[in-house]
Amino acid sequence: MLLSDLLVPEGVIVPLAARDKAGVLGELAGRLASRTGGDYQDVLRAVVEREQVLSTGIGFGVAIPHGKSPTVPELALVCGVSAEPIAYGAIDGEPVRLFFMIVGPESSAGQHVKVLSRIARLVRHADVRERLLAARTPAEFHQALLDAEER
């Protein structure tokens, strides 16, 4: 499964308005819920509960908040770029600017893991992160992701 199969430019927020972790999670959950018809409170609860177990800040200034919600009909991905680094409690202790939120129903668990892994592999490359961070519009972010997947 390609990330570009899940993500459309309307699922990207550039720049995020929020300036802290809770705000970013709320902003992304709102976008995901509105794009999928899911329940905002349930989506946010699922992501926050997962975050309380272990930070989804994977390092390199990237976080992949995720969770499972029965109100989201199929696996969904939304992304955001923060203009300023956000304190996130990432595993490397560094703040985060790139966010990839994944939420789906319990039945999408296999796809969920594949998407998590795909994002983690792509963002290991400094040039991919730099291009995503340089995106000034959702369309530019989307295109950078498409290009990264084609390499």
Side-chain angles (χ1 to χ4, degrees), residues 7 9 16-17 19 22 29 32 34 38-39 44 48-49 67 77 80 89 100 106-107 124 128 134 136 139 148-149:
L7 186 67
L16 288 158
R19 295 289 174 248
L32 193 139
S34 70
D39 178 75
L44 183 59
V48 168
E49 281 180 4
L77 171 67
F100 298 82
E106 195 68 46
S107 62
R124 272 192 229 148
V128 171
R136 295 291 166 237
E149 286 192 307

Side-chain angles (χ1 to χ4, degrees), residues 11 17 24 34 48 50 56 60 63 90 94 100 135 138 146 150:
V24 167
S34 70
V48 168
R50 169 57 186 84
T56 58
F60 305 108
E94 295 297 316
F100 298 82
L146 289 173
E150 288 176 359

Side-chain angles (χ1 to χ4, degrees), residues 5-124:
D5 293 337
L6 289 176
L7 186 67
V8 294
E10 295 79 19
V12 179
I13 305 172
V14 178
L16 288 158
R19 295 289 174 248
D20 62 15
K21 181 177 180 175
V24 167
L25 294 177
E27 191 172 348
L28 290 171
R31 178 64 57 97
L32 193 139
S34 70
R35 301 259 334 121
T36 64
D39 178 75
Y40 168 75
Q41 290 298 332
D42 191 64
V43 168
L44 183 59
R45 177 202 50 76
V47 171
V48 168
E49 281 180 4
R50 169 57 186 84
E51 199 66 39
Q52 289 171 344
V53 172
L54 181 67
S55 176
T56 58
I58 65 165
F60 305 108
V62 177
I64 312 174
H66 57 280
K68 295 182 178 75
S69 168
T71 70
V72 177
E74 58 188 26
L75 194 65
L77 171 67
V78 295
C79 302
V81 178
S82 175
E84 298 296 323
I86 305 280
Y88 199 84
I91 60 171
D92 64 356
E94 295 297 316
V96 173
R97 289 193 54 213
L98 286 173
F99 299 88
F100 298 82
M101 181 177 280
I102 308 163
V103 178
E106 195 68 46
S107 62
S108 68
Q111 282 183 312
H112 191 114
V113 171
K114 288 178 184 171
V115 170
L116 273 166
S117 175
R118 187 148 184 79
I119 292 167
R121 276 194 313 273
L122 284 175
V123 298
R124 272 192 229 148

